[in-house]
């Protein structure tokens, strides 16, 4: 098991042991920087994901052309654009509880 006596365990920071590690899909938000994406007249927002692997977090946003919703699938090939933004973050020793 993992315990404080294991040297590999002691080398990991609290950020690297985050319970948020994994792949997540956003299902709801009040974040204005995300909500404004839906105001674009040319594309609608599809799925939004976060891939968390400390110290890296990658946000992935799928965009779909709006015209695709108004035409039969037989006339328009399914298309999608994907935006990815990767960020690195490290815990600060003076803020251990955050």
């Amino acid at each position: 098991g993992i315990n404080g006596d294991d040297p590999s365990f002691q080398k990991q920071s609290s950020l690297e042991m985050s319970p948020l590690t994994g792949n997540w899909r956003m299902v709801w938000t009040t974040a204005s920087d995300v909500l404004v994406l839906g105001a674009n007249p040319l594309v609608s927002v599809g799925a939004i994901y976060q891939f968390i692997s400390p110290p890296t977090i990658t946000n992935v946003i799928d965009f779909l052309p709006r015209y695709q919703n108004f035409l039969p699938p037989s006339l328009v090939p399914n298309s999608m654009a994907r935006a990815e933004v990767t960020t690195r973050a490290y815990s600060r020793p003076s803020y251990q509880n955050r």
Side-chain angles (χ1 to χ4, degrees):
I2 297 177
N3 60 45
D5 298 329
D6 182 353
S8 63
F9 179 78
Q10 292 175 350
K11 291 179 185 176
Q12 293 180 330
S13 72
S14 61
L15 182 63
E16 291 169 330
M17 298 182 302
S18 172
L20 295 176
T21 298
N23 300 332
W24 299 87
R25 181 175 182 194
M26 182 171 29
V27 294
W28 185 83
T29 186
T30 59
S32 60
D33 61 331
V34 175
L35 295 175
V36 74
L37 296 173
N40 188 314
L42 301 177
V43 295
S44 61
V45 177
I48 300 176
Y49 304 95
Q50 277 194 326
F51 302 118
I52 302 173
S53 179
T56 303
I57 298 175
T58 302
N59 294 313
V60 178
I61 304 169
D62 293 339
F63 295 100
L64 306 167
R66 287 198 187 269
Y67 69 83
Q68 193 169 290
N69 297 328
F70 301 112
L71 299 173
S74 60
L75 294 178
V76 179
N78 192 12
S79 60
M80 176 186 73
R82 177 168 277 179
E84 293 187 20
V85 177
T86 301
T87 305
R88 290 188 181 274
Y90 298 94
S91 61
R92 296 184 214 168
S94 60
Y95 295 103
Q96 294 177 2
N97 294 327
R98 292 185 181 194

